[in-house]
Amino acid sequence: MDPVAAAPLSAGFGDIVGWLLAAVIALVHGIVLLAGALWWLLGLLFWPVGQVLGFAVDILGAVFGWIGTVIYDVIADVAPGATFYIDLISFGKGGWGDDLWVGLQLTLKLAVVSLSIGLSIGLLGAGAKLAPSRALNFIGNAYTTLIRGLPELLTLMLIYYGLLFGLQGLLSTGFLPMVCDGAGLADKLALIGLGEDTARICVSTTVEIDGFTAGVVALSLVFGAFSTEVLRGAILAVPKGQLEAARAIGMSRRLTIRRILLPQVWRYALPGLGNLWLIMIKDTSLVSVIALDELMRKTSIAVGVTKQPFFFYGMACLVYLAITGVSMIATTRIERWASRGVRRI
């Protein structure tokens, strides 16, 4: 597309588009600032707690370090050959324990963030599929059909590589600078105090997508698509008579959803959502293909250096099984809490 040959935006329409774009940019800028302020405030509030916990961790580390040294000496006397494998997963120089720990932290962070976003998408998707509007029904059905019909790895690749090269190709056509000029975006951003964002938005010729962001988007979309169906089934499982009774006594729609619908939806949905959580924990290993240093990639690096595939992949299996075990215990307790007061048959 030749930007010179393209028809410029009309004055009135271009002005509206410019203010809309400026409003969106200002909103994103405000959200980023608010998130930064909240993070700083949380850090300020929990700084004393962190200091106490850090001191406790130091003490526990010293105690367990002494216990580990004693156990290591015992193993060295009984089975000297086993110390080689203990050294491989030890922390510090020569061991891979700290690398695996960093990978595990990134895996859990990726899963928790994707769970939060994906659950929100699932609620919106379930609402769209159950809405009386045919347009919302179409959007919800199209989203779940598309995402559930694609392999998770392909979804990740499309977001990380496809979106990257697609945006890069759009910038190379000169379309974005043309829109910025036609809408007078630079002047409008300057009026609201965001003039420094003009070069980054209107003049940029490169696009960078962070691996963590791409992983979160892909896993959130996948989790959201499957949780949409789980939540839709849970909403339909709530007896309609209770909703009709709530409306009969004068409850508003919002109050009915908060007091009657949502508490029971979680009771019906938690088993399915717990299963999806376990699946997503395993799907986090897919982000290793985009060079994100989560647990599986750290394990592969350790295997490549030490030439001990059975040992390190076996350790990775134990870690994933440990996460699964803790998750199953947690979901069981949450299900019991959500089902309190319900008679079991």
Side-chain angles (χ1 to χ4, degrees):
M1 179 178 179
D2 186 2
V4 178
L9 296 173
S10 62
F13 180 72
D15 194 55
I16 294 175
V17 171
W19 281 116
L20 286 176
L21 291 175
V24 171
I25 295 171
L27 178 62
V28 173
H29 194 78
I31 292 174
V32 172
L33 290 178
L34 179 61
L38 289 176
W39 186 258
W40 176 83
L41 181 60
L42 286 175
L44 183 65
L45 293 175
F46 287 99
W47 182 83
V49 178
Q51 295 297 314
V52 174
L53 290 178
F55 179 71
V57 168
D58 290 338
I59 295 177
L60 290 175
V63 173
F64 283 109
W66 176 79
I67 295 175
T69 302
V70 173
I71 295 175
Y72 183 87
D73 294 337
V74 172
I75 294 175
D77 293 335
V78 176
T83 57
F84 170 74
Y85 296 101
I86 297 177
D87 293 336
L88 285 179
I89 58 173
S90 63
F91 287 77
K93 186 177 180 180
W96 290 89
D98 46 358
D99 295 273
L100 297 179
W101 171 245
V102 171
L104 175 60
Q105 287 179 308
L106 185 57
T107 293
L108 295 176
K109 181 180 179 181
L110 186 66
V112 170
V113 174
S114 301
L115 172 68
S116 304
I117 300 175
L119 194 58
S120 302
I121 296 175
L123 287 170
L124 294 176
K129 297 193 73 169
L130 295 174
S133 172
R134 289 187 177 181
L136 291 177
N137 293 159
F138 175 79
I139 294 174
N141 288 324
Y143 163 64
T144 55
T145 302
L146 177 64
I147 298 299
R148 291 192 302 158
L150 296 177
E152 289 83 351
L153 182 59
L154 180 57
T155 302
L156 177 63
M157 290 296 188
L158 283 175
I159 292 173
Y160 186 70
Y161 292 109
L163 188 61
L164 174 65
F165 288 105
L167 292 175
Q168 192 71 52
L170 183 62
L171 289 176
S172 65
T173 62
F175 176 76
L176 188 59
M178 181 194 69
V179 172
C180 289
D181 293 339
L185 185 59
D187 296 333
K188 293 176 174 59
L189 289 176
L191 286 175
I192 60 177
L194 298 177
E196 68 277 2
D197 291 345
T198 303
R200 182 168 54 87
I201 296 171
C202 296
V203 188
S204 177
T205 58
T206 58
V207 177
E208 294 182 2
I209 298 179
D210 179 66
F212 182 81
T213 302
V216 166
V217 171
L219 293 176
S220 299
L221 289 176
V222 172
F223 186 89
F226 285 96
S227 63
T228 293
E229 298 299 333
V230 172
L231 291 170
R232 184 179 70 88
I235 292 173
L236 293 176
V238 177
K240 294 183 179 180
Q242 297 185 16
L243 304 179
E244 294 173 355
R247 288 194 295 268
I249 64 175
M251 277 191 180
S252 64
R253 184 180 181 86
R254 181 177 301 178
L255 185 61
T256 301
I257 292 175
R258 182 169 61 87
R259 297 291 299 274
I260 306 298
L261 186 62
L262 285 181
Q264 299 187 79
V265 163
W266 295 123
R267 179 163 59 90
Y268 291 115
L270 277 172
L273 293 177
N275 188 45
L276 293 179
W277 161 256
L278 296 181
I279 293 174
M280 187 171 63
I281 287 290
K282 295 181 292 184
D283 285 344
T284 56
S285 61
L286 297 175
V287 301
S288 61
V289 302
I290 58 174
L292 195 63
D293 289 334
E294 45 73 58
L295 178 60
M296 198 62 202
R297 178 168 170 79
K298 289 290 189 180
T299 303
S300 300
I301 294 174
V303 169
V305 174
T306 63
K307 310 302 180 184
Q308 295 288 334
F310 181 79
F311 176 73
F312 279 104
Y313 286 136
M315 291 299 301
C317 289
L318 294 178
V319 172
Y320 280 114
L321 288 174
I323 298 174
T324 300
V326 173
S327 299
M328 292 177 63
I329 294 173
T331 53
T332 300
R333 291 182 176 274
I334 296 174
E335 287 176 22
R336 289 178 181 174
W337 174 82
S339 300
R340 64 193 187 282
V342 178
R343 181 181 299 177
R344 297 181 180 271
I345 299 177

